[in-house]
Amino acid sequence: QVQLAESGGGSVQSGGSLRLSCVASGFTYSTYCMGWFRQAPGKKREEVAEIDSRGRIKYADFVEGRHTISQDNANNTLYLQMNTLKPEDTAMYYCAAFYDDCSGGWSPSFWGQGTQVTVSS
């Protein structure tokens, strides 16, 4: 059974930083795509960043170079380092995974429960 467990959310002031973590258990695919999504109240869920087993990385335009996605394969952990946070970054952040690479678009097969990020001005 695949489980994704996020942590690291919290409340920060504008300009601050947070590091989100996602520990994946039971996810043993050698080819995969993993990523971070977010959903603000009243808005659709949107992708923030993705990384796959080939090391290819992609960010949403609104990231604007502020965040970094990375992975620690030895510990089955996905990270999202978020810097220069803005109030509009306030959302629930979700970790997601798929059992193929990210090429050609992807639809997550597995989701975490989410971790709340709140940025105050």
Side-chain angles (χ1 to χ4, degrees), residues 1-110:
Q1 183 179 0
V2 175
Q3 290 187 327
L4 304 175
E6 304 98 331
S7 62
S11 296
V12 297
Q13 291 190 329
S14 181
S17 298
L18 284 172
R19 188 193 196 200
L20 306 184
S21 299
C22 171
V23 177
S25 57
F27 191 76
T28 58
Y29 302 98
S30 58
T31 301
Y32 60 85
C33 179
M34 295 191 72
W36 290 96
F37 290 71
R38 70 183 189 182
Q39 187 168 20
K43 295 188 176 182
K44 293 182 179 180
R45 187 175 295 188
E46 57 185 353
E47 183 175 330
V48 179
E50 66 187 42
I51 185 169
D52 69 15
S53 48
R54 299 186 181 187
R56 292 180 293 193
I57 292 175
K58 181 181 175 182
Y59 297 99
D61 290 343
F62 61 76
V63 171
E64 299 175 322
R66 298 179 295 130
H67 306 338
T68 302
I69 189 171
S70 61
Q71 57 188 347
D72 179 348
N73 292 329
N75 292 301
N76 297 321
T77 303
L78 180 73
Y79 299 102
L80 183 68
Q81 176 67 45
M82 301 192 295
N83 299 322
T84 320
L85 284 163
K86 306 174 183 180
E88 50 263 45
D89 291 318
T90 295
M92 184 72 78
Y93 283 72
Y94 298 90
C95 174
F98 180 60
Y99 46 81
D100 203 344
D101 65 32
C102 300
S103 62
W106 65 299
S107 180
S109 299
F110 310 103

